[in-house]
C-alpha cells in the first residue's frame, strides 16, 4: 500500500462498559504498529468513555445529524461528537441507507456538517448482490461516490488534510462471511479512485479507500496488499482484540 494504512473497527450496535477492556487491549497493541492508523467507532453512549480509556488510537461515531442542534429527538450532532472526543464519523453505511432510508444527498449533507465541526469523515458506498449480478456494480458505486462526497472549500481542505476516506463495502459481503474476490476489489477501488479524481482533481489521490465486508485475520493480508486498498473497515472482527489485532498486524506487515 502506498498510503499509510487505516484500520477502523465499527462496533455497530454492540458494546458495553465491559468491552472497554477490549479497546484498552487494542490501544496497548497500537504501540507495536506505529505505521498503522487504528481507530474504533463504538455506539454513541460509549464514545466518551472509550476516549478516556485509550490514548494511541482514534475514536469515532457511527452517524451524525446534518444540523448542529435543534428539535431532533434521538439524533446526535457532529459538534456533540467532537465535544465528547470523537475524531471522525462513519457516514452512509449501507445499514443506515437501508434501515433509515438515507439518500446520497443526505449523506453529503451530513459529511458537510461533520467537516464543519472538525471531524474526519468516512463515506461508505457499496452495491447489493442484485446490482452486482445485473452488471451494475461499478455504476452504482460510482453514482454513490459522486453524490455522497462533500463539496466546496471546506471539503477540499479536508481532502488535503487527510480527513476524508471512502469505504467500499459490498452490501452482500457485510456480516455474511462472504468476501469479494481480490480482482473485484481492485477493480472497484480503481473506479472509486477515478471518481475521487473527478471530484477533487489531483487531490483525489489523497483520500484512503478502505475495504469492508467480512474482513478477518484470514483474508486481511490479501485484501490489504491489493492496489488502492488503503485499509479496512472492520465489523464483527473488531469486537475483540484477539480478532482485530491480526488485521492490524497484516496492515503493518504490508508496510514493513
Amino acid at each position: 500500500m502506498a498510503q499509510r494504512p487505516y484500520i477502523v473497527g465499527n462496533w455497530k450496535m454492540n458494546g458495553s462498559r465491559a468491552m472497554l477492556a477490549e479497546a484498552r487491549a487494542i490501544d496497548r497493541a497500537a504501540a507495536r504498529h506505529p505505521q498503522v492508523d487504528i481507530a474504533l467507532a463504538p455506539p454513541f453512549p460509549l464514545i466518551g468513555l472509550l476516549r478516556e480509556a485509550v490514548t494511541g488510537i482514534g475514536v469515532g461515531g457511527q452517524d451524525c445529524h446534518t444540523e448542529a442542534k435543534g428539535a431532533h429527538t434521538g439524533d446526535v450532532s457532529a459538534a456533540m461528537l467532537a465535544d465528547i472526543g470523537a475524531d471522525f464519523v462513519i457516514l452512509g453505511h449501507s445499514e443506515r441507507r437501508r434501515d433509515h432510508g438515507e439518500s446520497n444527498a443526505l449523506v453529503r449533507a451530513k459529511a458537510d456538517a461533520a467537516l464543519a465541526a472538525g471531524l474526519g469523515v468516512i463515506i461508505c458506498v457499496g452495491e447489493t448482490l442484485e446490482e452486482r449480478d445485473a452488471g451494475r456494480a461499478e455504476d452504482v458505486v460510482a453514482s454513490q461516490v459522486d453524490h455522497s462526497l462533500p463539496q466546496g472549500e471546506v471539503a477540499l481542505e479536508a481532502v488535503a488534510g487527510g480527513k476524508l476516506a471512502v469505504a467500499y463495502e459490498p452490501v452482500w459481503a457485510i456480516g455474511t462471511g462472504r468476501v469479494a474476490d481480490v480482482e473485484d476489489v481492485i477493480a472497484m477501488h480503481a473506479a472509486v479512485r477515478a471518481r475521487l479524481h473527478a471530484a477533487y482533481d489531483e487531490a483525489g489521490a489523497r483520500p484512503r479507500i478502505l475495504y469492508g465486508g467480512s474482513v478477518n485475520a484470514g483474508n486481511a493480508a490479501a485484501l490489504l496488499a491489493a492496489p488502492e486498498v488503503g485499509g479496512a473497515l472492520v465489523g464483527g472482527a473488531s469486537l475483540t482484540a484477539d480478532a482485530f489485532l491480526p488485521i492490524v498486524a497484516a496492515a503493518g506487515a504490508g508496510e514493513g
Side-chain angles (χ1 to χ4, degrees), residues 103-204:
S103 66
N104 293 323
L106 180 59
V107 174
R108 173 179 281 179
K110 289 183 175 187
D112 289 338
L115 294 178
L119 296 175
V121 170
I122 300 174
I123 301 287
C124 297
V125 297
E127 81 284 0
T128 65
L129 184 59
E130 292 76 16
E131 289 164 341
R132 174 160 286 278
D133 287 345
R136 299 179 52 234
E138 288 193 20
D139 289 342
V140 167
V141 170
S143 180
Q144 289 177 338
V145 174
D146 288 347
H147 296 98
S148 298
L149 289 177
Q151 300 294 320
E153 184 175 344
V154 173
L156 289 174
E157 291 175 356
V159 170
K163 299 192 74 170
L164 176 70
V166 174
Y168 166 59
E169 294 194 301
V171 177
W172 47 269
I174 298 173
T176 65
R178 297 182 60 184
V179 182
D181 292 338
V182 172
E183 293 77 11
D184 291 334
V185 172
I186 292 171
M188 191 64 79
H189 279 233
V192 171
R193 180 65 68 196
R195 302 323 303 159
L196 286 165
H197 279 297
Y200 304 125
D201 297 323
E202 291 183 4

Side-chain angles (χ1 to χ4, degrees), residues 198-244:
Y200 304 125
D201 297 323
E202 291 183 4
R206 176 81 174 170
R208 289 173 288 196
I209 307 173
L210 316 182
Y211 174 77
S214 298
V215 179
N216 57 48
N219 59 38
L223 291 166
L224 292 167
E228 294 289 8
V229 177
L233 182 58
V234 184
S238 70
L239 298 178
T240 67
D242 285 347
F244 189 60

Side-chain angles (χ1 to χ4, degrees), residues 4-11 20 22-24 26-28 30-31 33 36-42 46-62 81 84-90 119-120 122 208 233 238 244 248:
R4 183 181 174 88
Y6 190 22
I7 308 298
V8 181
N10 176 13
W11 282 8
L20 294 175
E22 299 293 339
R24 292 188 187 98
I26 292 168
D27 188 55
R28 289 193 297 270
H33 304 283
V36 181
D37 291 332
I38 307 166
L40 295 173
L46 294 177
I47 292 174
L49 294 172
L50 201 152
R51 177 73 283 169
E52 293 175 356
V54 302
T55 59
I57 64 175
V59 177
Q62 299 174 17
L81 293 180
I84 60 171
D87 307 304
F88 69 95
V89 62
I90 299 168
L119 296 175
I122 300 174
R208 289 173 288 196
L233 182 58
S238 70
F244 189 60
V248 173

